[in-house]
Amino acid sequence: MAKQDRAIRTRQSILEAAAVVFDERGYDAATITEILARAEVTKGALYFHFASKEELALAVIDAQMMTDMPAAEPGRASKMQELVDMGMIFAHRLLVDPLLRGSVRLTLEHGSTNLNRSGPFHGWTELHTRVLAEGKERGEVLPHVVPADTAELIVGAYAGINTMSQAINNRADLERRATILYEHVMPSVAVPSVLARLDMAPGRGARALAEAERQRLRAAEAEAALEAAPAGVG
Amino acid sequence: MAKQDRAIRTRQSILEAAAVVFDERGYDAATITEILARAEVTKGALYFHFASKEELALAVIDAQMMTDMPAAEPGRASKMQELVDMGMIFAHRLLVDPLLRGSVRLTLEHGSTNLNRSGPFHGWTELHTRVLAEGKERGEVLPHVVPADTAELIVGAYAGINTMSQAINNRADLERRATILYEHVMPSVAVPSVLARLDMAPGRGARALAEAERQRLRAAEAEAALEAAPAGVG
């Protein structure tokens, strides 16, 4: 393994360990000692990558926006399906990805220090605004919709059903709650013909990821075939 | 002032002081010492009313549901207006009531301890479910609406726009965000004739409270007139 690869992996281990500790304890109660123990790295290695607990927390928060989202999946029925998929995939990932869970906890609670946790709110809002504006250009969106307002509403409401689901049953029903959110909001956003074909049902996150994976495989096979062909012919 | 009144006032002072400290510091970082200093009561007085920081926090959380909500205001146009008013009045009160702010912060963040903060979620959900069910009986609600699902969605979404508004601009725009929430959700809930007459605009919270106050005064005057009349005649 090259030196740079190793550094990237160490950084990732620290980030994931920190996310788990932040998720369990919250920002205030989390300690560098506990993060070190979980990451199984030296203090020197940690401080090489992150100067402070705050810097570590900000990196965990940022990781939320870096998740590999199959946003431009060409097979998607509509921009509005892309909008719904952002939330449905997020709900699915939150159950399986500790890094995302740590990031979400830091974002949703302000703690006693002034950790700037507005980043993901702005990031997700921008992403939603863009998809809504593109949907509007394509005629998928009702004329009275203001993309930035609807974007902020969906992002804020989503954060809330997440908090509520976490408070009530440790997120066991988050997907169902996300479905109910979209069922209530999308009729005020999408034109009827697009609305009728939206998949907003629980399990959509896993289905969208599987579909993206199939497309990636098909694309890779097509590329391999293309590369193999001249050799076979020539 | 009677002994009992004094005890009630002392309890209320402690509760309000605790709410301010919880709102500023969060549950984990808040200390009894700081609450005592702010409430200007003795340690003995505090522990007479609340056995621990946890008990104090639970009482602050509970206070959220005790706010004097003009729910049964007879002049209201519809049950759906009552539904919207719960959120619009809450947004208005949150800006002026420190006890409510402390309660909300404790409810929305779970801290490092296992403080049970699901109470207000359940309480508000029950209240919303009841109003939606009553609205359904009166024909104000679309046939496909499941009151409990819609209730949970509104309560959860509201919590989220609250968190987001707090993270981004210290709740300066909460009323506007609440308006946008209802504008998106109510078309999926209320029948068109009821929807068309809903007041969901910013400022509705203050207007609803003023209207309730006027009705209280009219009722008090009517009662006073009724009491005065027999004396004048006889």
Side-chain angles (χ1 to χ4, degrees):
Chain A
M1 182 158 51
K3 216 171 184 180
Q4 212 191 339
D5 287 350
R6 207 176 316 143
I8 291 172
R9 290 209 185 183
T10 304
R11 188 180 186 280
Q12 191 63 20
S13 312
I14 298 168
L15 217 51
E16 283 171 10
V20 171
V21 176
F22 286 136
D23 184 36
E24 282 172 7
R25 306 235 178 275
Y27 179 76
D28 293 340
T31 63
I32 292 282
T33 311
E34 200 172 348
I35 295 167
L36 283 174
R38 179 171 279 272
E40 297 182 344
V41 299
T42 63
K43 210 172 196 168
L46 189 145
Y47 283 108
F48 172 77
H49 290 282
F50 304 99
S52 62
K53 184 167 93 169
E54 187 179 350
E55 212 179 292
L56 199 42
L58 290 173
V60 170
I61 289 178
D62 278 352
Q64 185 179 146
M65 297 304 304
M66 310 288 177
T67 50
D68 174 33
M69 190 73 73
E73 187 195 312
R76 256 205 203 93
S78 62
K79 280 283 150 187
M80 291 307 93
Q81 185 65 58
E82 192 178 325
L83 192 82
V84 168
D85 283 356
M86 286 197 276
M88 296 310 290
I89 290 173
F90 196 85
H92 172 73
R93 284 225 163 113
L94 211 44
L95 298 176
V96 297
D97 183 352
L99 184 51
L100 198 53
R101 276 202 295 275
S103 176
V104 164
R105 168 143 188 197
L106 290 175
T107 306
L108 295 184
E109 81 183 22
H110 64 298
S112 63
T113 37
N114 285 325
L115 195 66
N116 186 345
R117 59 202 177 95
S118 63
F121 285 116
H122 290 303
W124 285 113
T125 301
E126 273 167 37
L127 214 54
H128 279 70
T129 304
R130 186 163 56 68
V131 174
L132 281 159
E134 287 169 5
K136 201 160 187 177
E137 271 173 33
R138 296 193 191 182
E140 296 181 15
V141 173
L142 293 167
H144 69 272
V145 169
V146 179
D149 283 357
T150 299
E152 288 208 328
L153 166 72
I154 292 176
V155 172
Y158 195 96
I161 60 166
N162 196 343
T163 303
M164 186 166 169
S165 172
Q166 210 273 330
I168 286 180
N169 57 20
N170 211 16
R171 292 208 189 95
D173 62 358
L174 181 58
E175 281 204 72
R176 191 182 145 266
R177 284 174 194 271
T179 293
I180 293 173
L181 168 64
Y182 292 117
E183 282 175 351
H184 278 78
V185 168
M186 292 314 288
S188 298
V189 175
V191 299
S193 60
V194 170
L195 180 70
R197 286 176 307 153
L198 286 181
D199 179 0
M200 314 184 268
R204 169 62 196 169
R207 285 193 292 280
L209 286 174
E211 179 53 31
E213 185 55 29
R214 275 194 296 277
Q215 289 191 6
R216 243 196 302 270
L217 283 176
R218 272 198 297 272
E221 278 167 20
E223 204 175 324
L226 218 63
E227 273 171 19
V233 175
Chain B
M1 185 157 51
K3 217 171 182 177
Q4 211 191 338
D5 287 351
R6 207 175 317 140
I8 291 172
R9 292 209 182 182
T10 303
R11 188 179 186 280
Q12 190 64 17
S13 312
I14 297 167
L15 217 52
E16 283 172 10
V20 171
V21 175
F22 286 135
D23 183 37
E24 282 172 8
R25 306 235 178 274
Y27 179 75
D28 293 340
T31 64
I32 292 283
T33 311
E34 202 174 346
I35 294 167
L36 282 176
R38 179 172 279 273
E40 297 182 341
V41 299
T42 63
K43 208 172 196 168
L46 190 145
Y47 282 109
F48 172 77
H49 290 283
F50 305 99
S52 63
K53 184 168 93 167
E54 186 179 351
E55 210 178 293
L56 198 42
L58 291 172
V60 170
I61 289 177
D62 279 351
Q64 187 180 144
M65 298 304 303
M66 310 287 177
T67 50
D68 173 33
M69 190 73 73
E73 186 193 315
R76 256 205 203 93
S78 63
K79 280 283 150 187
M80 291 306 95
Q81 186 65 59
E82 190 177 325
L83 192 81
V84 169
D85 283 356
M86 286 197 276
M88 296 309 291
I89 290 174
F90 196 84
H92 172 74
R93 284 225 162 111
L94 211 43
L95 298 176
V96 298
D97 183 352
L99 184 51
L100 198 54
R101 277 201 295 275
S103 176
V104 164
R105 168 144 187 196
L106 289 175
T107 306
L108 295 183
E109 79 182 24
H110 64 298
S112 63
T113 38
N114 284 326
L115 194 65
N116 185 344
R117 61 206 175 92
S118 62
F121 285 116
H122 290 304
W124 286 112
T125 301
E126 273 167 37
L127 214 53
H128 279 70
T129 304
R130 185 163 56 69
V131 174
L132 280 159
E134 288 169 2
K136 201 159 188 179
E137 273 173 31
R138 295 193 193 183
E140 295 180 16
V141 172
L142 293 167
H144 69 272
V145 169
V146 180
D149 283 357
T150 299
E152 286 206 331
L153 166 72
I154 293 176
V155 172
Y158 195 95
I161 59 165
N162 196 343
T163 302
M164 185 166 169
S165 171
Q166 211 272 329
I168 287 181
N169 57 21
N170 209 17
R171 292 209 189 94
D173 62 358
L174 180 58
E175 281 205 70
R176 192 182 144 267
R177 284 175 193 271
T179 292
I180 293 174
L181 168 64
Y182 292 117
E183 283 175 351
H184 279 78
V185 168
M186 292 313 289
S188 298
V189 176
V191 299
S193 60
V194 170
L195 181 68
R197 285 176 307 153
L198 286 181
D199 180 358
M200 313 185 268
R204 169 62 196 170
R207 285 193 292 280
L209 287 175
E211 179 54 32
E213 185 54 30
R214 274 194 297 276
Q215 290 190 5
R216 243 195 303 270
L217 282 176
R218 273 199 296 271
E221 276 166 23
E223 203 175 322
L226 219 64
E227 273 171 18
V233 175

